[in-house]
Amino acid sequence: MRIAAAQFSPVPGDVTANVRAMRELVASAAGQGVRLVVFAELAVTGYGMELVARDPGLWLTEDDPRLEPLRAVCRETGTAAVVNAAVHRSGGRPGITSLVLGPDGALLARYDKRNLHGVELEVFAAGTEDGRFTLDGVRCALAVCYDNRFPELAERARKDGCALYLAGSVLEEGNDSFETVYPVRARENGLTVVMANQVGPSDIGHCPGDSGVWGPDGGLLATAGGTDPGLAVAELPIIS
């Protein structure tokens, strides 16, 4: 199975434009034989806390019609996508939520970020459950950005029989996670880690891209590079 981390520069608050960009990336990935694409944290709106807080119109529902172009491209190409957005929860505040759209466009899984950080605590509600789904017989785990600083999430994924660990993130220039978090989670747990990062400005500073895929030994299998939209594409390693 081919997998990909997708990166682009979201237009702050423009759901339509961002979904269009994501659709194009899914189509491009499918043209390279990719079966599963992962997008960055809050890719649907861009990572902007003040923007999301003041405009509940930017909060999605699980069946939100604004995601239909993504559902359609998943159906057309037989590709699954991990799409992260502010999504309504019971209790008033939204979650920082990964919605997994299956190859038929239907919702495969939902995961709400469990470990919020900084100003996120003032805007969002934390999730309480781990995220899991299975695609082509491969069990997958979901995590979002700061979650990955907590090694127990990846440890539970390993114990739960997961082979893929999918992390949508927003990492600024100089963040040490590229060296000290994602490859370590892979190596310590024998997981393939897929991390999608934003490119360009965000609330926490400039994001350099460098989305990547790390193999179960912690080695970098693919990178989307810095500065430009694109894909990090890799073949899922076969573990004997």
Side-chain angles (χ1 to χ4, degrees):
M1 183 168 68
R2 301 199 94 192
I3 49 182
Q7 66 184 34
F8 72 106
S9 302
V11 180
D14 193 334
V15 173
T16 300
N18 295 331
V19 167
R20 186 185 306 119
M22 295 163 78
R23 175 188 168 90
E24 291 172 358
L25 283 163
V26 171
S28 176
Q32 299 178 54
V34 169
R35 181 69 164 162
L36 174 63
V37 183
V38 181
F39 288 96
E41 182 179 23
L42 295 177
V44 172
T45 57
Y47 189 88
M49 294 297 101
E50 183 179 345
L51 186 67
V52 173
R54 73 169 182 257
D55 185 1
L58 296 175
W59 307 356
L60 275 60
T61 60
E62 291 184 5
D63 60 352
D64 202 292
R66 291 172 289 185
L67 292 180
E68 183 54 32
L70 277 169
R71 296 189 193 97
V73 75
C74 288
R75 288 192 299 268
E76 292 162 7
T77 63
T79 308
V82 180
V83 177
N84 195 271
V87 178
H88 284 277
R89 291 170 47 97
S90 59
R93 291 185 176 185
I96 298 180
T97 303
S98 288
L99 300 175
V100 184
L101 307 181
D104 60 357
L107 185 67
L108 266 181
R110 170 181 178 151
Y111 171 73
D112 292 342
K113 185 177 181 178
R114 297 188 61 157
N115 299 281
L116 302 177
H117 182 260
V119 72
E120 293 173 357
L121 293 160
E122 301 172 15
V123 180
F124 295 95
T128 58
E129 303 292 333
D130 289 338
R132 301 283 188 270
F133 68 97
T134 300
L135 181 69
D136 296 346
V138 177
R139 192 153 173 80
C140 304
L142 297 162
V144 180
C145 206
Y146 191 55
D147 280 334
N148 300 293
R149 292 280 180 178
F150 297 82
E152 58 267 26
L153 267 73
E155 291 168 4
R156 287 199 299 270
R158 171 179 53 80
K159 292 176 181 177
D160 200 23
C162 295
L164 267 175
Y165 184 86
L166 311 173
S169 299
V170 172
L171 304 173
E172 77 281 18
E173 289 179 343
N175 193 300
D176 68 349
S177 296
F178 297 98
E179 293 80 29
T180 65
V181 174
Y182 297 99
V184 175
R185 297 291 166 266
R187 183 174 63 250
E188 288 182 345
N189 298 284
L191 298 167
T192 297
V193 172
V194 183
M195 188 280 291
N197 191 27
Q198 182 172 312
V199 179
S202 74
D203 272 13
I204 60 171
H206 186 83
C207 298
D210 290 330
S211 301
V213 181
W214 290 265
D217 62 355
L220 185 64
L221 300 178
T223 178
T227 71
D228 295 325
L231 299 161
V233 178
E235 195 79 27
L236 178 66
I238 298 173
I239 307 299
S240 58

